[in-house]
Amino acid sequence: MERLSLDISDVWLARKRIASLIKKTPLVKSTELSRCAGCPVYLKMETQHEIHAFKVRGAANKILSLNQKERARGVTTFSTGNHGMAVAWVASRLGIPAVICVSRRVPAAKTEAIQRLGGRLHIHGESQDEAEAECVRLEREEGLTVISPFDDPWVIAGQGTIGLELLEDLPELGSVIIPLSGGGLLSGIGLAVKTNRPTSRIIGVSMEGPAVMHYSLKKGKTLVMPERTTLADSLLGGLGTDNRYTFHMVGDLADQTLLVSEREIAEGIAFMLNHHRTVVEGAAATTIAAILSRKFKPDPQPVVLILSGANLDPSTLFQAVRMAANHTKDPV
């Protein structure tokens, strides 16, 4: 039976449940970003999971919660890429069939990875909402269990395990800057952090354009917006046809939401490559952009940036580096 509430005990249970599959990721101080921000800045390296993205936490918690009959029937999901990879990887490890529904906008690097990880790929439509419709059809006609990318208590609790790790490694943290799309990541981290350290600030950052959660919060209701090409392709997609959790949780937990431009995202990607010799995808680079653009106003307390993923198509990496190089010198 679906639960209608979520609290910190769910996050602790998720941590125990996923421990056999998911390892703690490093928290690394960035000297360059600390100098730019005027306060200590740390990077939470969610890029270091086996699928190079945080999504594996929530997928693991949800799939491990299924009973044997549900596992035998198989699972399905809709995704902009990383969640599909996560479901495919976890399902493969547990011997569960998985069908991954994506739109035609999902980069080839991610669709190819989904297939390598053992997922059966369904490409359907031009948006995540259309991919979701295909996923619902598979649930109805084939009896597969849908593993939501974000609006599910088990998925949210799984992502919240990041917040527990942050509090262990940096109990004095002041702010956490989090890529924001459907809101599962911010909801989980926000729940874990705010429950234990209510004075901490939770900041969501999205790309300019189809930032559905950002504009939905401003309107006070969930909106539907057309997707368009962006360097932060992992942040594309709507809030689901019947959002039950993340819209309200993000509204309660986020102290601020910010938007960054495509140029600023490109500069974030280039910055990580230049200063940390690390490839991050556009969604992760939005957090770097929030610091470099100075749209985030820090205080003296430490700031953590969630580097959500590293699944960047090589052509997109080249495009971002060229875009950044053609604009200005390194902001730092």
Side-chain angles (χ1 to χ4, degrees):
M1 180 180 293
E2 189 76 281
R3 294 170 295 175
L4 298 177
S5 63
L6 184 67
D7 62 35
I8 192 62
S9 66
D10 294 293
V11 182
W12 283 108
L13 287 171
R15 181 172 184 166
K16 182 178 181 180
R17 185 180 287 123
I18 69 177
S20 63
L21 291 177
I22 309 303
K23 305 306 179 186
K24 185 176 181 179
T25 56
L27 186 67
V28 178
K29 187 173 183 180
S30 172
T31 301
E32 295 82 4
L33 288 172
S34 298
R35 182 158 53 88
C36 179
C39 66
V41 176
Y42 293 82
L43 308 174
K44 181 59 169 169
M45 306 298 290
E46 288 298 292
T47 54
Q48 294 197 15
H49 292 291
E50 287 199 44
I51 68 155
H52 308 297
F54 78 94
K55 287 283 192 177
V56 72
R57 294 176 184 261
N61 194 42
K62 176 65 176 183
I63 294 172
L64 286 166
S65 75
L66 300 180
N67 62 41
Q68 288 302 316
K69 288 184 178 179
E70 290 169 325
R71 294 187 186 197
R73 287 196 300 265
V75 298
T76 184
T77 195
F78 54 100
S79 174
T80 54
N82 286 339
H83 179 68
M85 293 167 59
V87 170
W89 184 80
V90 173
S92 177
R93 292 290 297 269
L94 298 175
I96 298 171
V99 181
I100 315 300
C101 302
V102 301
S103 78
R104 295 184 183 92
R105 288 186 176 274
V106 174
K110 292 182 178 179
T111 57
E112 291 168 3
I114 288 168
Q115 292 175 303
R116 284 198 305 273
L117 292 166
R120 181 157 60 94
L121 192 67
H122 276 212
I123 300 176
H124 185 82
E126 299 295 333
S127 69
Q128 179 166 272
D129 289 343
E130 292 182 68
E132 179 184 6
E134 175 69 0
C135 189
V136 170
R137 183 190 68 80
L138 292 169
E139 177 187 33
R140 182 180 63 251
E141 296 180 6
E142 300 186 20
L144 306 182
T145 298
V146 175
I147 311 299
S148 170
F150 52 87
D151 194 43
D152 178 282
W154 283 269
V155 171
I156 294 167
Q159 321 306 22
T161 60
I162 298 171
L164 299 180
E165 293 177 12
L166 295 181
L167 291 164
E168 285 179 345
D169 291 345
L170 192 68
E172 71 275 22
L173 70 86
S175 300
V176 187
I177 304 181
I178 305 167
L180 178 61
S181 179
L185 180 60
L186 190 146
S187 295
I189 294 175
L191 174 62
V193 170
K194 289 278 194 181
T195 300
N196 292 282
R197 188 172 168 80
T199 57
S200 293
R201 289 192 293 164
I202 300 295
I203 313 297
V205 58
S206 303
M207 68 291 186
E208 291 179 352
V212 181
M213 181 65 84
H214 173 84
Y215 290 111
S216 293
L217 291 172
K218 288 188 175 299
K219 286 289 186 180
K221 62 180 182 180
T222 58
L223 302 176
V224 176
M225 299 176 67
E227 294 182 7
R228 74 182 195 199
T229 301
T230 173
L231 291 170
D233 55 84
S234 291
L235 300 186
L236 289 172
L239 302 186
T241 54
D242 181 26
N243 189 286
R244 304 177 69 194
Y245 297 95
T246 60
F247 176 65
H248 297 293
M249 289 185 72
V250 172
D252 290 341
L253 293 166
D255 294 282
Q256 185 181 9
T257 62
L258 303 172
L259 299 180
V260 292
S261 69
E262 293 297 307
R263 175 183 57 77
E264 289 163 343
I265 294 169
E267 290 175 351
I269 293 171
F271 179 91
M272 286 301 298
L273 196 60
N274 290 336
H275 289 277
H276 290 275
R277 298 299 184 261
T278 299
V279 172
V280 297
E281 60 190 68
T286 61
T287 64
I288 308 297
I291 297 291
L292 297 181
S293 68
R294 294 178 168 80
K295 291 180 178 178
F296 168 71
K297 307 301 181 186
D299 55 35
Q301 294 180 309
V303 177
V304 172
L305 311 184
I306 306 298
L307 297 189
S308 52
N311 294 305
L312 187 63
D313 188 284
S315 63
T316 306
L317 173 61
F318 299 147
Q319 176 190 353
V321 170
R322 285 196 303 268
M323 189 184 300
N326 289 338
H327 184 254
T328 61
K329 63 181 182 180
D330 193 320
V332 174

